[in-house]
């Protein structure tokens, strides 16, 4: 996430860069979700979740956690793009308004 934010801040097109970075994170989440299986034991009322690669188990649906993490990353990338766009639009030699308290 730090590296993605840096790339956005250095980009000449921060919004497009943020979208590209978010697409990468979304593909990673999709790939991770494909590794989780819902298991419904015959004697249990509640299913559990099994990760096919790591053999991790969880009572909590991993989709909720992974989608929450993706949402948090989207917020960070959006803020990075906003900051970069503000810096790009700022006249040379003038500090950004946020630095001046306004």
């Amino acid at each position: 996430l730090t590296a993605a934010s840096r790339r956005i801040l250095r980009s000449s097109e921060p919004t497009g860069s943020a979208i590209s970075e978010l697409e990468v994170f979304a593909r990673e989440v999709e790939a991770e979700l494909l590794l989780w299986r819902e298991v419904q034991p015959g004697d249990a009322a509640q299913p559990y979740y099994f990760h096919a690669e790591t053999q991790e188990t969880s009572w909590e649906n991993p989709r909720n956690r992974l989608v929450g993490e993706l949402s948090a990353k989207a917020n960070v990338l959006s803020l990075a793009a906003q900051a970069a766009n503000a810096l790009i639009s700022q006249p040379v030699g003038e500090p950004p308004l946020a630095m001046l308290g306004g």
Side-chain angles (χ1 to χ4, degrees), residues 17-100:
S17 182
I19 291 169
S20 295
E21 296 289 348
L22 186 57
E23 288 171 346
V24 169
F25 287 133
R27 284 192 297 274
E28 290 171 359
V29 166
E30 289 172 5
E32 178 68 12
L33 284 172
L34 289 174
L35 296 172
W36 284 92
R37 306 289 185 263
E38 183 176 313
V39 179
Q40 181 69 50
D43 60 346
Q46 178 182 349
Y48 68 90
Y49 300 88
F50 175 79
H51 192 280
E53 201 169 86
T54 66
Q55 299 187 0
E56 176 185 356
T57 59
S58 173
W59 289 109
E60 301 297 322
N61 187 334
R63 174 175 293 284
N64 299 336
R65 176 182 54 82
L66 291 167
V67 169
E69 289 174 7
L70 182 61
S71 178
K73 287 177 180 180
N75 289 335
V76 170
L77 297 179
S78 175
L79 290 172
Q82 289 174 20
N85 282 319
L87 290 172
I88 288 171
S89 65
Q90 195 66 33
V92 175
E94 291 186 28
L97 291 177
M99 292 177 67
L100 299 174

